[in-house]
Amino acid sequence: MSRRPQAVELPPLGGFDRTQGHLSRQLTQSLREAIRAGSLKPGDLLPSSRQLASSLGIARGTVLEAYEQLIAEGFLDSQARAGTRVASALSRSQPPGGSDSQRQAANTAPASLPASAAAFAKVAEQFKAHPPIPFAVSVPVGPTAPDETWRRLGNRIRAKGPGAPSGYDDPQGVGTLRAAVAEYVRRSRSVRCRAEQVIITTGTQQGLYLACQVLLGATDKVWVEDPAYWGITKILESTGHPERMVRVPVDEEGIDVRAGIALAKDARAAFVTPSHQYPLGMVMSMGRRDALGMWAQKNKAWIIEDDYDSELRYAGYPFPSLQGFAPDQVVYLGTFSKILFPSLRLGYAIVPDALVPAFCGARLLMDRHTPTADQHVLSAFINEGHLDRHIRRIRSVYADRRSELIGMLNRWIPQDLGWLQPSDQGMHLVLWLAHGMDDTLLASHAMEAGVVVRAVSPMYSEGRGRPGLLLGLGGFSNAQIEAAVRRLAGLIKMMGKTGHKPAHG
Amino acid sequence: MSRRPQAVELPPLGGFDRTQGHLSRQLTQSLREAIRAGSLKPGDLLPSSRQLASSLGIARGTVLEAYEQLIAEGFLDSQARAGTRVASALSRSQPPGGSDSQRQAANTAPASLPASAAAFAKVAEQFKAHPPIPFAVSVPVGPTAPDETWRRLGNRIRAKGPGAPSGYDDPQGVGTLRAAVAEYVRRSRSVRCRAEQVIITTGTQQGLYLACQVLLGATDKVWVEDPAYWGITKILESTGHPERMVRVPVDEEGIDVRAGIALAKDARAAFVTPSHQYPLGMVMSMGRRDALGMWAQKNKAWIIEDDYDSELRYAGYPFPSLQGFAPDQVVYLGTFSKILFPSLRLGYAIVPDALVPAFCGARLLMDRHTPTADQHVLSAFINEGHLDRHIRRIRSVYADRRSELIGMLNRWIPQDLGWLQPSDQGMHLVLWLAHGMDDTLLASHAMEAGVVVRAVSPMYSEGRGRPGLLLGLGGFSNAQIEAAVRRLAGLIKMMGKTGHKPAHG
């Protein structure tokens, strides 16, 4: 081992930090970097472990350990008496050096992407989460946040028993939560179901996604309300078969079933919001429910009922679900994300028995299952009566904020420029804008001014859009609401005057 | 209102429970049910509110409230002086009566399903979560469960600040966790990345799913190792284009890149497990890493590196990631589900900058984002040094259990019937079985005998399978392990004798 005149001069190996310990690991890393960077080349002979140890002032065992690791990794070769060399299998020129930030600046995209990737990227750009300021939807601040009960219950449930850390679980969701949900929707929504039909989801969005996955073949047509929630239209647009989405107009009775039949009688499914049309807020009439059910039955089509906020009805009781009338044809979607808090990400799909295995399998491939601890916490929260109390409490808070907001909008926004869509339910209001106003532009200016609104016209199909703004009811204070309304009113008036882009500020 | 001779005789409306309160709600429900069940028919005239109130012995206001609600719902019509009638729009024959359990027994599936739904249903049947008994993989019981620190930290973080209940969040994940993950993988896995490239997922499975969604067009070919993890093969089989999955054999150096090129040079992506081939356990050699990287660079293909359990290496250090060699071509997937606990569902994808927006958009459509509270808890767990300590602790537990298990398998299972695949990493072992043995049948008999094993042959492509069993290392006690090995050995010997199905028991 001592006669090895050809051993390379090692490049500087980077400073060792003796306070960090793991010297052999540090050495391994340095040698690996040197090989990667090309300062050590395939075939290069390394100094003996003894030489290197002495020159670095470290123990020989440390060097031997590093060499062994690099041999195991394939960076080095060791042949009995021939010493240790950089592996000649490393013939490929190493990846270009350059720091990570240089690489980032170049923004290299060496491989190619399918068209759908661009569509996904656009979705990410368009639907950023809003900051918790007026008029973001469902912001659990102040009185709309769950009270101490939720936290204390969580601490208890997570400590031991089934809510404590555990292994993989049922893709369908935790059994006790499914039972609690079944009982809750039977009681409050006249949904006809058993716990075996409930599938716990990571929010309604996952329910919509699963329904598309399971129910639709690649070219099946599907009815979607016009206007509709972006969460469903963007899924269908991203599939590579956007032509399969048939937009069906809504009027004051909800989705126009006759128009749907005229457009695509043979559609495989219809996505609807019968309790509270999104975003406009009307209830689907009994006649339309009837017609929709008949069409679905006759054409062996599915109805996906998105019942996203029926807990918040301010007059009368919530409408009974469509599912209760046609339990074999309806996939019913609900969520606790809005009524409790969005960051919880807990919702549910209630599906006919025949669909349960397919939903579970699709779910398994997508992410196996929803995290379990909060499923157990929520199940206790429902069973111990806290959910009902929480809903009663926030219903009165939202009712209060809502009438405040309506009052202030009526006061500050000129009637000819903006007026409210009637509705008596939910966590948002729609403010229509005068013909010709650009709601998207207005929304982006409002955001710059610290006010969150969503433009309504992009929720319509191409060419049918009317300008409007969707204003969410958070748990904001009256002072916050008033300040935001006044700023918004200023922007609207400015746009009303100029007919286009308002000046900044 | 008093001259209405045609008012129908109301059917019995179900008992009112005066202790429950909400009498008007109870009445509404009863009338609704009567209409649904057909005992009240479209056009039927109802008694006046006064008559009904008096006959039921309740306040007239209660009846009026119920009528108003049902009018709003469209069940009833009210014409000034003509009284209140069951809405004639309800002309459709109501859905068949019958209890929910009767409907379930009939298992009606009125609408039709695409072929993919059957594939999903089969996945659900095949991949049920295992009970927490030997040899389930990654069961956090006893010494492998996170200690009190995790729980206490959780209670603290969830109480206030960003870990407390909040609104919708970034689809990419919580910023502090992304920074902690970037630092962790740079340090432990030589991954080259910044926090901006990290996408928090609901476990590795979601990372695989997202990669398929974003990187693959409908007909793009893709290399998958043979054998491979069901979590990737089943996604690709469920797409309706199973022919695009090209299975590439692995040998003792990992995936055979030359064979892949011969089979499908133009594939768009390769899914690989370089640190620890799943399920066989070998490390991909430097030569193969080199060849794979060169192929990907030349063909503008993506490499998806599934690094599911490299924390658990029992000899030397973990191998550096493939990503570190080709950060612009590799999507790197990691998970905390295994190393901490599976029910947590927290993993990550680290992607080249150019892919970040597309991954976020696909994620947004799938389920918006991973629940946030535990993201904050995990970030503190990493930053405060607990994760490193936890890994050191369970590494020694798993090393111990592993050598126990190896010893017992060698002791109880005859060499000619079963032998171990060499491996020095991970949470599972592969036990090869003698030629001709039916591992799937054996696994199902083992399950009946209270022993969890997975058959290896179905992880291979059709016709290439070798019989073997995958045995997971949980935190089981030595006594549990020994009892399970002995039962398993009994079944193997019986099958070895008969050459086929072992007798029950």
Side-chain angles (χ1 to χ4, degrees):
Chain A
M1 294 280 273
S2 54
R3 290 162 300 146
R4 296 197 311 167
Q6 330 93 304
V8 293
E9 193 68 34
L10 282 187
L13 288 179
F16 292 100
D17 181 351
R18 275 158 214 272
T19 63
Q20 284 259 326
H22 297 296
L23 281 182
S24 105
R25 190 164 187 165
Q26 291 185 47
L27 177 60
T28 308
Q29 180 68 20
S30 298
L31 287 168
R32 204 191 277 126
E33 286 297 332
I35 296 169
R36 263 196 208 161
S39 38
L40 284 172
K41 294 191 172 43
D44 277 357
L45 181 67
L46 265 64
S48 74
S49 56
R50 197 183 308 267
Q51 285 172 329
L52 185 55
S54 124
S55 80
L56 293 173
I58 60 182
R60 188 181 163 216
T62 305
V63 177
L64 280 174
E65 212 179 306
Y67 278 14
E68 269 164 31
Q69 172 70 19
L70 290 167
I71 290 165
E73 292 180 8
F75 281 92
L76 301 180
D77 275 338
S78 172
Q79 292 112 1
R81 292 173 179 275
T84 302
R85 291 176 184 272
V86 177
S88 46
L90 296 177
S91 50
R92 173 192 173 205
S93 64
Q94 293 304 315
S99 70
D100 285 344
S101 54
Q102 281 174 319
R103 285 191 305 104
Q104 196 247 332
N107 207 3
T108 47
S112 55
L113 284 171
S116 58
F120 289 135
K122 205 170 161 204
V123 167
E125 192 195 316
Q126 288 176 313
F127 300 98
K128 291 197 188 304
H130 288 146
I133 54 173
F135 300 100
V137 176
S138 185
V139 179
V141 292
T144 57
D147 60 16
E148 273 293 288
T149 314
W150 174 264
R151 190 180 67 76
R152 277 200 304 266
L153 199 60
N155 291 357
R156 171 155 66 82
I157 301 284
R158 292 168 165 268
K160 55 183 174 187
S166 63
Y168 291 106
D169 212 306
D170 189 341
Q172 198 174 347
V174 163
T176 50
L177 179 58
R178 288 192 281 114
V181 166
E183 163 61 25
Y184 169 71
V185 295
R186 276 198 302 261
R187 171 165 52 83
S188 67
R189 307 291 303 120
S190 303
V191 168
R192 292 163 75 185
C193 71
R194 295 162 301 110
E196 289 77 5
Q197 294 170 254
V198 177
I199 290 150
I200 303 300
T201 61
T202 307
T204 293
Q205 187 65 35
Q206 192 174 50
L208 293 169
Y209 194 91
L210 280 169
C212 290
Q213 285 279 301
V214 171
L215 303 178
L216 304 178
T219 55
D220 283 337
K221 284 187 186 140
V222 48
W223 293 2
V224 174
E225 293 172 327
D226 193 6
Y229 180 49
W230 65 266
I232 181 60
T233 56
K234 295 294 167 189
I235 292 175
L236 292 167
E237 282 172 11
S238 76
T239 58
H241 296 280
E243 74 286 358
R244 70 184 189 169
M245 176 165 59
V246 177
R247 300 298 294 268
V248 182
V250 298
D251 57 25
E252 63 282 358
E253 290 192 65
I255 192 168
D256 184 343
V257 177
R258 199 175 294 202
I261 291 173
L263 287 163
K265 192 181 171 175
D266 61 338
R268 179 62 41 236
F271 284 83
V272 290
T273 48
S275 306
H276 188 220
Q277 204 278 333
Y278 187 93
L280 302 186
M282 70 282 287
V283 175
M284 191 186 296
S285 71
M286 272 311 298
R288 292 286 172 81
R289 284 167 194 243
D290 231 38
L292 184 63
M294 262 198 291
W295 164 77
Q297 196 167 47
K298 206 162 153 190
N299 291 277
K300 296 189 176 302
W302 301 101
I303 299 170
I304 296 88
E305 175 177 20
D306 180 359
D307 206 21
Y308 60 102
D309 70 359
S310 55
E311 285 91 353
L312 291 182
R313 188 164 172 80
Y314 307 109
Y317 313 126
F319 269 65
S321 69
L322 188 56
Q323 195 271 3
F325 291 92
D328 294 329
Q329 288 164 298
V330 172
V331 167
Y332 176 89
L333 304 178
T335 181
F336 295 104
S337 288
K338 285 208 162 64
I339 207 73
L340 268 165
F341 51 97
S343 70
L344 180 63
R345 317 295 314 117
L346 277 176
Y348 47 91
I350 293 173
V351 310
D353 290 291
L355 293 182
V356 171
F359 269 76
C360 288
R363 182 59 204 279
L364 206 53
L365 295 181
M366 205 174 294
D367 63 0
R368 297 194 75 144
H369 61 81
T370 298
T372 56
D374 275 341
Q375 295 189 53
H376 290 282
V377 178
L378 178 55
S379 141
F381 194 77
I382 297 173
N383 289 335
E384 297 180 15
H386 303 300
L387 181 69
D388 285 343
R389 272 192 292 278
H390 177 73
I391 290 176
R392 278 198 297 275
R393 184 162 61 94
I394 69 165
R395 188 184 286 147
S396 99
V397 174
Y398 277 116
D400 189 58
R401 293 298 182 274
R402 192 167 178 279
S403 66
E404 274 300 328
L405 178 55
I406 291 174
M408 288 180 189
L409 289 169
N410 285 334
R411 176 166 168 208
W412 292 104
I413 295 176
Q415 280 282 339
D416 57 331
L417 292 180
W419 58 95
L420 284 166
Q421 164 78 23
S423 158
D424 53 9
Q425 182 174 326
M427 288 189 165
H428 72 262
L429 293 168
V430 167
L431 179 77
W432 292 117
L433 297 174
H435 182 75
M437 286 177 89
D438 182 340
D439 55 358
T440 306
L441 187 64
L442 186 56
S444 95
H445 283 291
M447 181 62 101
E448 286 166 24
V451 179
V452 168
V453 289
R454 268 215 198 282
V456 170
S457 68
M459 300 178 192
Y460 282 91
S461 61
E462 190 74 32
R464 283 202 70 238
R466 295 171 55 189
L469 300 176
L470 191 149
L471 281 66
L473 305 166
F476 310 112
S477 69
N478 289 346
Q480 280 179 299
I481 294 174
E482 174 150 23
V485 169
R486 291 179 69 167
R487 253 173 296 165
L488 185 63
L491 291 171
I492 289 175
K493 281 189 251 180
M494 201 170 309
M495 190 177 262
K497 240 179 254 164
T498 60
H500 48 85
K501 183 182 160 155
H504 269 258
Chain B
M1 294 281 272
S2 55
R3 291 162 300 147
R4 295 196 311 166
Q6 331 92 305
V8 292
E9 193 69 30
L10 282 187
L13 288 179
F16 292 100
D17 181 351
R18 274 157 215 270
T19 62
Q20 283 259 326
H22 298 296
L23 281 182
S24 106
R25 190 165 187 161
Q26 291 184 48
L27 177 60
T28 307
Q29 181 67 21
S30 298
L31 286 169
R32 204 190 277 127
E33 286 298 330
I35 295 169
R36 262 195 208 161
S39 38
L40 285 172
K41 295 191 170 41
D44 278 355
L45 181 68
L46 265 62
S48 73
S49 55
R50 198 181 309 266
Q51 284 172 328
L52 187 55
S54 124
S55 78
L56 293 172
I58 58 181
R60 186 177 165 218
T62 306
V63 177
L64 280 174
E65 213 179 305
Y67 278 14
E68 270 166 28
Q69 172 70 19
L70 290 167
I71 289 166
E73 292 181 6
F75 280 91
L76 301 180
D77 276 338
S78 173
Q79 292 111 1
R81 292 174 179 277
T84 304
R85 289 175 186 276
V86 177
S88 46
L90 298 176
S91 50
R92 174 192 173 206
S93 64
Q94 292 304 315
S99 70
D100 285 346
S101 54
Q102 280 173 317
R103 285 193 304 102
Q104 196 245 332
N107 207 3
T108 47
S112 54
L113 284 171
S116 57
F120 289 135
K122 205 169 160 205
V123 167
E125 192 196 316
Q126 288 176 314
F127 300 98
K128 293 199 188 305
H130 287 145
I133 54 174
F135 301 98
V137 176
S138 184
V139 179
V141 291
T144 57
D147 60 16
E148 272 294 289
T149 314
W150 174 263
R151 192 182 64 77
R152 277 200 304 266
L153 200 59
N155 291 357
R156 170 155 66 82
I157 300 285
R158 291 168 164 266
K160 55 184 175 186
S166 63
Y168 291 107
D169 213 307
D170 189 339
Q172 199 173 347
V174 162
T176 50
L177 179 58
R178 289 192 281 116
V181 166
E183 163 60 24
Y184 169 71
V185 295
R186 277 198 301 261
R187 170 166 53 83
S188 66
R189 307 291 302 120
S190 303
V191 169
R192 293 163 74 184
C193 71
R194 295 163 300 109
E196 290 79 3
Q197 294 170 255
V198 178
I199 291 150
I200 302 300
T201 61
T202 307
T204 293
Q205 187 64 35
Q206 192 174 50
L208 293 169
Y209 195 91
L210 281 168
C212 291
Q213 285 279 301
V214 171
L215 303 178
L216 303 178
T219 55
D220 283 338
K221 285 190 187 135
V222 48
W223 292 3
V224 174
E225 293 172 327
D226 193 6
Y229 180 49
W230 64 266
I232 181 61
T233 55
K234 296 294 167 189
I235 291 175
L236 292 168
E237 282 172 12
S238 76
T239 58
H241 296 280
E243 74 285 358
R244 71 185 189 169
M245 176 165 57
V246 177
R247 301 297 294 268
V248 182
V250 299
D251 58 23
E252 63 283 355
E253 290 192 65
I255 192 169
D256 184 345
V257 177
R258 199 175 295 200
I261 291 172
L263 286 164
K265 192 181 172 175
D266 60 338
R268 178 63 41 236
F271 284 83
V272 291
T273 48
S275 306
H276 188 221
Q277 205 277 332
Y278 187 92
L280 302 185
M282 70 281 287
V283 175
M284 192 185 296
S285 71
M286 272 310 298
R288 290 287 170 82
R289 285 167 193 243
D290 230 40
L292 184 63
M294 261 198 292
W295 164 77
Q297 196 167 47
K298 206 162 152 191
N299 292 276
K300 297 190 176 302
W302 300 101
I303 299 170
I304 297 88
E305 175 176 21
D306 180 358
D307 206 20
Y308 59 101
D309 70 358
S310 55
E311 285 91 353
L312 291 182
R313 189 166 170 76
Y314 307 109
Y317 313 128
F319 269 66
S321 68
L322 188 56
Q323 195 273 0
F325 291 92
D328 294 330
Q329 288 164 297
V330 172
V331 167
Y332 176 89
L333 304 178
T335 181
F336 295 103
S337 289
K338 284 210 163 61
I339 206 74
L340 267 166
F341 51 98
S343 70
L344 179 63
R345 317 296 313 120
L346 278 175
Y348 47 91
I350 294 172
V351 309
D353 290 290
L355 293 182
V356 171
F359 269 76
C360 287
R363 182 59 203 278
L364 207 52
L365 295 182
M366 204 173 296
D367 63 358
R368 297 193 75 143
H369 62 79
T370 299
T372 56
D374 275 341
Q375 294 189 53
H376 290 283
V377 178
L378 178 55
S379 139
F381 194 77
I382 297 173
N383 289 335
E384 297 179 15
H386 304 299
L387 181 69
D388 285 343
R389 273 192 291 278
H390 177 73
I391 290 175
R392 277 198 298 276
R393 184 163 60 93
I394 69 164
R395 188 184 285 145
S396 99
V397 174
Y398 277 115
D400 188 54
R401 293 296 183 273
R402 194 169 178 278
S403 67
E404 274 301 326
L405 179 54
I406 291 173
M408 289 182 191
L409 289 169
N410 285 334
R411 177 168 166 205
W412 291 104
I413 295 177
Q415 281 284 338
D416 57 329
L417 293 181
W419 57 96
L420 284 165
Q421 165 78 22
S423 159
D424 52 10
Q425 182 175 324
M427 288 189 166
H428 72 261
L429 292 168
V430 167
L431 179 77
W432 292 117
L433 297 174
H435 182 74
M437 287 177 89
D438 182 340
D439 54 358
T440 306
L441 186 64
L442 187 57
S444 96
H445 283 291
M447 181 61 102
E448 285 166 25
V451 179
V452 168
V453 290
R454 268 214 197 285
V456 170
S457 68
M459 300 177 190
Y460 282 90
S461 62
E462 191 73 31
R464 283 202 70 239
R466 294 171 56 189
L469 300 176
L470 190 148
L471 281 65
L473 304 166
F476 309 111
S477 69
N478 288 347
Q480 280 179 297
I481 294 175
E482 174 150 24
V485 168
R486 292 178 68 165
R487 253 173 295 166
L488 185 63
L491 291 170
I492 289 175
K493 282 189 254 182
M494 202 170 308
M495 190 177 263
K497 239 180 258 168
T498 60
H500 48 86
K501 182 179 164 162
H504 271 257

